[in-house]
Amino acid sequence: MMSLTAADVDLVTPIREFFDRRVTSDYHHALLSGGWDPELMAELDDLGWSELTRPENRGGLGIDLTAVAGLIVLVGDRLIPGPLVEQLILPAYLDIPDGSLVAFADPAVTLDWASSIGSVHMESGQIQGTIELVRFGAEADSLVLAVDGPDGPALLLLPGSDPALALTPITSSDPTSQYVRLEIASRTVTDAEILATGTEAATLLRQIRAWFRLLTACEISGIARRMLEKTVEYVAQRQQFGKPVGSFQAVKHIAASMAQAAISMEALCEATVSDISSAEVDFDIEMATWTAKAYAAGAGRQVVEDALQLHGGIGFTTEYDLHWYYRRVLALRTWYGDEHELHALIGSRRLTDGVDR
Amino acid sequence: MPVEQITEFAELRREARRWLAETEIPTVPLELEERFNVLRRWQRTLFDAGWMGLGWSREAGGRGLTARHQQVFSEELARAHAPAPIGLIGLDVVGPSIHRYGSPEQRTRLLPPLLAGEDIWCQGFSEPSAGSDLASLRTRALRDGDKYVVNGQKVWTSWGNQASWCALLCRTDPDAEPKHAGISYLIADMSSPGITVRPLVQMTGDAEFCEVFFDNVEVPVGNLVGKENDGWRIALDTLSQERGNYAMRRQVEIGWGVEKTIDGLRGTSPESATNSRISTAIGESHVALRVLDAQIRRTVQRLIDEEGPHPLDSIDKLVLNDAEQVVGRALADLLGPFRLDAESQPLGLNAAQLIHDHYFSRAASIYGGTSQIQRNIVAERLLGLPRS
Ligand SMILES: Cc1cc2nc3c(=O)[nH]c(=O)nc-3n(C[C@H](O)[C@H](O)[C@H](O)COP(=O)(O)OP(=O)(O)OC[C@H]3O[C@@H](n4cnc5c(N)ncnc54)[C@H](O)[C@@H]3O)c2cc1C
């Protein structure tokens, strides 16, 4: 039924086998307590993770991002930490050195909180500013930075270890990612560090952000499917009043609603991926990815909340693994917009441009 | 999907777009009787131009293509802000079952006038004491030579007062165990002596569904669909038709309502794009419709693969409920206190239409099997949870 993964089975199978072998239950626990394991990331990279989407003329395999969506569904399903989405999206669009782990410092992860998240400004080759939340900012080898300047946006590639970038770790509630606050008092940018400017940068940013939204929705969709399966297994065996709790209609109906949310989320991710890959001329990719993320944010939270409810007390303990999934979904739902922010954005676009998807 | 197929659909899409651009798209009035007439004429226009029953066989008056072709055309209707054809129950719900289970004679006799909008159909399933528990229905059909004699009562029969034909579930074996093994699927001519129809007014103000009384009504044996006492299987097929065809229709209709609302807002209140309450309602509606669209695509694939009824149909029904109700509520909420004045047009919104659609959306979780019944099916048959 998980057709997103079924479609790209050649890509997904080896990675799934790798996770089966490498991410044992105890290790998973340790991994989630620690935020991530660079060694695991390196092994994944040896398997070719970040080469997948890098264009052939830059030494990669040049696989379309639509074809790797199933990998991110799997990452959600297995709850694997690390900058996995970053390592698929950024090399696909930007010229990033081989084997380098990259973070994306982008204030556009939120619109409703834009006035609080900050921004970095570039003028006459100098940058300065603050971004409050950068995922994997401290761990990455390099940092892709979205800045604004007098001629519109620009994309820069900076070494992560640069002393002019003050990185302050944040105590994160997301079990699968570390975050930092980035502050740049003043730094000169060399021409070599500028990846794109002006309309080129604006286009790249639109595409990259669209993919962050869509792959984040896919990750939530993978988590939702896992939560559904786990919950059904649990309520079918847990006994109260002399029978499985899953035989009570009140419980069944919550499980059925979880199924509805998980399955429709999958269908939407799949339809979005398919529309992007068959790219009709008048198809609005940005709008479609806002839509997918908006739905995943709302439906994803519902599914994990229901999963917690149906597990009763055990789901609330830290020994059991539900809380990891719950916290991850709460983190992902805000990243590049929750349903509230995106509904307003979609609606106002519909009311101005009248695009119809 | 093979390349030829994509090209074929693209061709159909172009053809549909061209035709829709050249054709006068009717405005659909709110008042039931006028609405009915306008839509019936529209269906005739569609039929004459070859757009009806794309996925139905040629003997049935269709074009012998697939459900996916039908879907492409539905998408184009929605894009052109054009209404769906009238043949609601016939076209989307009962018709496909007759197409699948009817005899060749029944197909050629009954289906072409259905497609043309000449014959309206109704679905006589529910009874006063057999709603969710449909298998307990009591309307009797007694075999008497080459006819059945029917006695009993149906209720909530949509379009009963307009219909020429009724897909009628009757008990032909009162002693059958389980109860559903004694039910047959008949086609009754609504002009037969002994049928009395009493319209019931719905919350929307429309007198759309009816009570139908059967008093020694004679139905020829040739109007039995499938075999005697084997009607339940066909009834389940009919109920599951809600998945693809009916959902596609509703997608067009709901989409049409959203477009009209956007047009109204843009024309009268250009500042609405910056009002977060308004843009949120439009955004929510957009997302709900797109979720429905994605779900229907999977369903259509299952229809093309000729899968019969499946527990996933119930997921489709629940997704449709949500789309109806999210959109119905979100748009009507934009009226605020102007909801009280059904003649008003606050912000360019058509209060009467939005109120009507909002009320109608509440029926979505009731007709065709309530959402509680759908969740029972999902939990037990899709998720495999133990029976209560
Ligand atoms: C607008 C509209 C159009 C309709 N058109 C037609 C038509 O054309 N032809 C036709 O035959 N019928 C039609 N119906 C009837 C419809 O199919 C029935 O209303 C429906 O099946 C529910 O049956 P009921 O109304 O008897 O409710 P009941 O079955 O009495 O249900 C009452 C409540 O109890 C709940 N309930 C019942 N059983 C269970 C259970 N086992 N578990 C949990 N909850 C349960 C229901 O979900 C509901 O909330 C239409 C209904 C509407 C509203």
Side-chain angles (χ1 to χ4, degrees), chain A residues 83-145:
Chain A
L84 294 157
V85 169
E86 282 83 345
Q87 290 298 103
L88 287 180
I89 298 176
L90 297 171
Y93 284 100
L94 305 173
D95 193 1
I96 287 161
D98 276 18
S100 119
L101 264 186
V102 54
F104 187 31
D106 181 16
V109 294
T110 176
L111 296 176
D112 285 356
W113 287 265
S115 61
S116 303
I117 197 158
S119 62
V120 176
H121 196 76
M122 178 161 83
E123 194 147 8
S124 325
Q126 290 285 115
I127 49 172
Q128 67 172 89
T130 308
I131 301 177
E132 294 292 336
L133 293 164
V134 180
R135 192 160 80 177
F136 295 110
E139 292 80 5
D141 305 319
S142 44
L143 218 67
V144 171
L145 182 61

Side-chain angles (χ1 to χ4, degrees), chain A residues 30-46:
Chain A
L31 201 55
L32 289 163
S33 314
W36 75 312
D37 175 4
E39 222 168 87
L40 182 75
M41 194 68 221
E43 286 171 48
L44 263 178
D45 237 46
D46 287 345

Side-chain angles (χ1 to χ4, degrees), chain A residues 249, chain B residues 123 125-126 131-132 156-158 202 209 363 366-368 370 372-373 376:
Chain A
Q249 197 181 50
Chain B
Q123 176 189 358
F125 286 16
S126 306
S132 298
W156 327 126
T157 316
S158 296
Q202 301 176 336
F209 58 24
I366 299 172
Y367 59 63
T370 68
Q372 283 72 39
I373 295 295
N376 288 348

Side-chain angles (χ1 to χ4, degrees), chain A residues 182-206:
Chain A
L182 164 69
E183 191 175 352
I184 305 170
S186 175
R187 185 189 186 277
T188 310
V189 175
T190 67
D191 280 354
E193 288 170 336
I194 301 180
L195 292 169
T197 55
T199 44
E200 194 202 348
T203 308
L204 283 169
L205 277 169
R206 266 207 306 280

